[in-house]
Amino acid sequence: MIEVRFHGRGGQGTVVASILMAKAFFQAGYYVQSFPLFGVERRGAPVEAYLRLDKTKILVRTNVYTPDHVVVLDPTLLEGVDITRGLKPGGWILINAPEAPPNLHTYADYKLAHVDATRIAIRHRLGTRTHPIVNTAMMGAFARVLGEPPLEAVMEAIREEVPAKPEANMAAAREAYESVVLLGPVAEAVSA
């Protein structure tokens, strides 16, 4: 079983991203679970959402405490939230950022990837310049990081479930899929 934790802020589409990724993995033949964890329910407040997937039925019905991978939709959360909490060594951390974070040693036990989903969302007019909606771009990048689900499954989930600007959202997912930077194991990058 693979477990993923999504970190974002209210209004960025964090919960929607986890739900749409569940739909994409389901289309690719997985059993899935997706659920949010809300604190203060307001725009801009930190939000977590979870995705569980497996090739066999998922019988577990608990929160995700030790995710295999983490997706960070808002890079400002790197300073205020322990995004590595419970993350299994060797797991991927995908960050919405134009470049790798400066403190790479913090992530030495993990693999790191980054994509400028904010720039991509703004270019495709998803949200506003001050509040871009980065979720579909992050979905495309995450599919590339994991090597699954197929990009076409991500596109189909967006096409079926995103009523506003589906073409722009699919273009953002494709662009992020193609432009995500896979740094891989951070320990190797830090020691190099």
Side-chain angles (χ1 to χ4, degrees):
M1 180 172 14
I2 296 173
E3 297 179 311
V4 183
R5 184 173 63 225
F6 292 78
H7 289 273
R9 293 194 181 275
Q12 289 182 313
T14 307
V15 174
V16 171
S18 70
I19 292 168
L20 292 180
M21 285 306 293
K23 290 179 183 289
F25 275 107
F26 181 77
Q27 290 175 5
Y30 285 84
Y31 290 89
V32 296
Q33 290 179 355
S34 175
F35 50 97
L37 174 68
F38 290 106
V40 178
E41 295 184 39
R42 63 177 168 74
R43 185 174 191 86
V47 174
E48 288 183 13
Y50 305 96
L51 171 63
R52 208 176 255 136
L53 56 120
D54 202 339
K55 286 292 191 175
T56 61
K57 284 187 179 178
I58 300 171
L59 302 176
V60 126
R61 297 285 187 254
T62 64
N63 283 340
V64 172
Y65 298 104
T66 55
D68 297 280
H69 309 291
V70 169
V71 178
V72 182
L73 281 74
D74 188 323
T76 65
L77 292 172
L78 296 177
E79 296 176 22
V81 174
D82 180 9
I83 63 153
T84 62
R85 179 185 81 246
L87 180 60
K88 294 176 184 168
W92 279 102
I93 301 172
L94 170 61
I95 301 171
N96 169 16
E99 56 191 29
N103 52 345
L104 280 180
H105 65 279
T106 304
Y107 309 105
D109 292 335
Y110 314 106
K111 294 181 277 189
L112 193 62
H114 65 88
V115 65
D116 195 349
T118 298
R119 180 186 52 77
I120 292 169
I122 289 169
R123 181 180 11 262
H124 293 282
R125 294 187 164 101
L126 300 173
T128 66
R129 290 189 73 73
T130 56
H131 292 92
I133 308 298
V134 300
N135 58 352
T136 52
M138 293 299 285
M139 289 170 57
F142 187 60
R144 170 87 184 283
V145 166
L146 282 191
E148 57 188 334
L151 183 58
E152 187 47 47
V154 173
M155 297 299 182
E156 187 61 27
I158 293 170
R159 187 176 7 267
E160 289 179 2
E161 302 293 332
V162 178
K165 301 183 179 180
E167 296 301 322
N169 278 286
M170 288 188 292
R174 182 175 304 283
E175 183 177 341
Y177 181 91
E178 293 169 354
S179 64
V180 65
V181 178
L182 306 173
L183 297 175
V186 174
E188 294 173 15
V190 170
S191 63

